[in-house]
Amino acid sequence: VYDDTKRPVEIVVDNRKLSPKIKTKIEEEFDEILRLLKFQDKGYEIFRKWYIDGRLYYHKIIDKENPKKGLVELRPIESTHIRKVRNVQKKKDKATNADLVTKVDEFFVYSEREETSTTTAAFTPATPTKGVKIATDSICYIHSGLFDSGKKRVLSYVHKALKPLNQLKMVEDAVVIYRLSRAPERRVF
């Protein structure tokens, strides 16, 4: 609920066994994140987008000249334009003939065209990735916690409503066509 005098969200650290200094620091940092998100003005849109898409991405911008300042800006990223890539390098163990993971390289790839896969993809180093490569610590990512049966795709909370919504649209279109085609017959009656 929007209110000019009170914030829509707060952090409560009263029940935690922390020193008062740490509690104050946590509250200050929480206030700073809300300021960077412009949560007082855009909180409704942020929550709506997360609820419908099931995931949010933010690019964390840090001042390179003064990194001690911390975060300068949080830029929202369209969830259909970014994906996480994991390059796994394996080596065969001669004794057991099993695959041993030698190196895992994780990063995000941003491209203007929509990605068909919204899951973490595993690629071999030879697989080309088109787009801008972004380090994993530069991206803040939150998902709904709901996955499809294969645990590969993130679902939104309104995912189950998509099929009834599409059916409702088709019924509405069919009713309009039915009424137009039946109009001369009704006039004759």
Side-chain angles (χ1 to χ4, degrees), residues 15-155:
N15 298 333
R16 301 287 174 222
K17 294 179 183 177
L18 300 170
S19 69
K21 186 177 179 181
I22 292 176
K23 287 182 182 181
T24 305
K25 189 68 174 170
I26 289 172
E27 290 170 354
E28 288 172 1
E29 292 301 322
F30 184 75
D31 291 341
E32 178 64 15
I33 295 296
L34 290 181
R35 185 191 69 76
L36 289 171
L37 287 172
K38 299 178 183 111
F39 201 83
Q40 191 69 20
D41 299 327
K42 297 183 177 183
Y44 176 77
E45 289 89 10
I46 293 170
F47 179 76
R48 183 177 186 272
K49 187 173 181 176
W50 173 80
Y51 198 71
I52 292 172
D53 289 347
R55 57 195 178 277
L56 286 176
Y57 292 90
Y58 282 94
H59 188 191
K60 299 182 277 190
I61 308 297
I62 297 173
D63 187 6
K64 287 186 179 182
E65 275 108 46
N66 191 0
K68 290 190 176 189
K69 278 175 66 176
L71 289 176
V72 177
E73 185 181 355
L74 287 172
R75 291 184 186 162
I77 300 174
E78 185 62 38
S79 61
T80 56
H81 293 216
I82 192 166
R83 68 181 167 137
K84 190 172 188 178
V85 176
R86 177 181 289 152
N87 286 334
V88 180
Q89 294 178 356
K90 296 179 182 179
K91 182 176 78 171
K92 282 272 191 197
D93 185 23
K94 294 176 183 173
T96 61
N97 202 21
D99 287 336
L100 299 176
V101 176
T102 58
K103 184 180 176 188
V104 177
D105 186 24
E106 290 184 335
F107 55 92
F108 286 91
V109 174
Y110 175 81
S111 64
E112 285 295 321
R113 64 177 183 82
E114 289 190 12
E115 297 292 336
T116 55
S117 172
T118 58
T119 62
T120 302
F123 290 94
T124 60
T127 304
T129 54
K130 295 181 181 174
V132 179
K133 185 177 176 180
I134 304 172
T136 54
D137 58 349
S138 299
I139 300 292
C140 179
Y141 167 66
I142 182 73
H143 60 78
S144 64
L146 301 175
F147 297 93
D148 66 351
S149 59
K151 299 269 187 194
K152 294 195 178 203
R153 276 189 49 215
V154 175
L155 303 177

